[in-house]
Amino acid sequence: MAFRVLILGGTSEGRRLAEELARRPGYAATLSFAGRTQSLEVPPVPYRVGGFGGVPGLVEYLRRERCQALVDATHPFAAQMSLHAVRAAELTATPLLRVECPPWRPVEGDRWTNVADMSGAAAALGERPRRVFLSIGRLEVGAFRVASQHDYLIRAVDDFVPDLPRARVLAQRGPFELEAEQELLERERIEVVVSKNAGAPATYAKLAAARVLGLPVILVARPPLPAAHTVERIESALGWLHALHEASIQRRGV
Ligand code: NAP
């Protein structure tokens, strides 16, 4: 019987884990997406889209689908889903693993201002109008309405109409390369970059480009998450799943 895994996705790490499990015999993985983007890249495993209906919905899903492991590979800013994963795993006694890139750390030459949240980022832009590269996705752009004097270039996966008077949207999906990011910042005469501290290698190039160009960066800190067994790398997640899978085979053999 295949080992049944639910992966809460939304990151390239979640997708890569699904791809690895699709290649391995003995696993039945399902990848779950929040449904925040219009253009979904279809993964090589069964997938589902949309919320579960809070903790009770996730508990019901884990039971109905007889999930033997839950992997939280959501974006580090998807704090509600991570909290629900912890609660539902406890209630169903499902082993839970979080896969999370460590936060980015500044290196020599970086000019970072760390802020606690989006409204802190909007305030940190200051009074003087600036040309801002807003690389925070679509969902929290509204926090910058209080700083509508700036010119924003907003990068998000899908195009949308921002509720900001001086904003344009650049619809692009990562990964991004240093050379192209540097070219973009120069061409758009960007004066400051705003980013979440996502920690993902796929979206780091904008910070390296800002460093090369000597530009300041406003970096939004991650929301706090409840404690969970956490690994940084897909390889470690595969090892964790392999150990659980082996243990379940041995239990069945007894
Ligand atoms: P959230 O606040 O943690 O989640 C809100 C609700 O969305 C959850 O309670 C859940 O609904 C549903 N949900 C979230 N992730 C899900 C998944 N993988 N599968 C099924 N349902 C899921 O997350 P968010 O509202 O999506 O985003 C919060 C922040 O994270 C934003 O800053 C956003 O830009 C960033 N972010 C999120 C994603 C993503 O894929 N979610 C990707 C990149 C960045 P129910 O309670 O009904 O189960």
Side-chain angles (χ1 to χ4, degrees):
M1 201 176 66
F3 188 76
R4 301 173 69 81
V5 183
L6 175 63
I7 305 169
L8 303 172
T11 56
S12 41
E13 287 70 27
R15 176 173 294 275
R16 275 186 43 225
L17 181 61
E19 286 165 0
E20 288 295 333
L21 290 180
R23 276 198 278 276
R24 289 168 163 72
Y27 290 96
T30 299
L31 184 54
S32 176
F33 297 104
R36 301 281 177 250
T37 57
Q38 287 158 15
S39 50
L40 185 131
E41 280 182 283
V42 174
V45 295
Y47 68 95
R48 62 171 300 292
V49 182
F52 295 92
V55 176
L58 183 55
V59 164
E60 211 270 317
Y61 182 95
L62 292 169
R63 289 195 175 129
R64 189 182 70 233
E65 298 297 324
R66 292 173 285 112
C67 296
Q68 292 160 284
L70 176 60
V71 179
D72 175 6
T74 56
H75 191 272
F77 282 70
Q80 182 166 305
M81 190 68 250
S82 291
L83 173 64
H84 291 182
V86 168
R87 296 241 170 97
E90 276 166 11
L91 290 167
T92 55
T94 308
L96 169 68
L97 182 71
R98 186 179 295 153
V99 181
E100 191 178 71
C101 297
W104 292 315
R105 306 254 179 240
V107 298
E108 205 184 324
D110 280 328
R111 297 174 56 202
W112 291 5
T113 300
N114 293 297
V115 295
D117 51 28
M118 289 299 162
S119 53
L125 286 172
E127 288 301 316
R128 181 180 66 81
R130 298 163 97 183
R131 294 180 66 83
V132 182
F133 182 44
L134 195 55
S135 178
I136 59 160
R138 168 177 54 89
L139 294 179
E140 287 157 287
V141 164
F144 292 84
R145 277 201 294 270
V146 295
S148 56
Q149 72 275 27
H150 304 293
D151 282 295
Y152 293 97
L153 179 66
I154 303 169
R155 181 158 65 196
V157 173
D158 298 311
D159 202 1
F160 69 104
V161 181
D163 186 14
L164 282 172
R166 306 165 65 88
R168 284 173 301 136
V169 173
L170 178 63
Q172 280 185 332
R173 190 193 286 271
F176 302 103
E177 302 295 333
L178 173 59
E179 206 177 316
E181 293 290 70
Q182 196 176 324
E183 199 269 324
L184 173 70
L185 297 181
E186 284 182 305
R187 189 181 67 231
E188 294 287 342
R189 293 178 287 113
I190 295 297
E191 295 170 281
V192 56
V193 174
V194 180
S195 171
K196 293 172 181 162
N197 195 334
T203 52
Y204 179 74
K206 63 192 164 193
L207 302 182
R211 181 166 61 239
V212 171
L213 298 172
L215 295 180
V217 174
I218 296 169
L219 211 56
V220 181
R222 298 172 174 198
L225 299 181
H229 179 40
T230 302
V231 296
E232 294 177 6
R233 300 173 61 81
I234 299 303
E235 293 69 26
S236 312
L238 289 166
W240 182 83
L241 286 168
H242 178 74
L244 280 177
H245 186 13
E246 286 292 305
S248 86
I249 291 170
Q250 278 173 15
R251 271 198 308 277
R252 278 207 315 274
V254 174

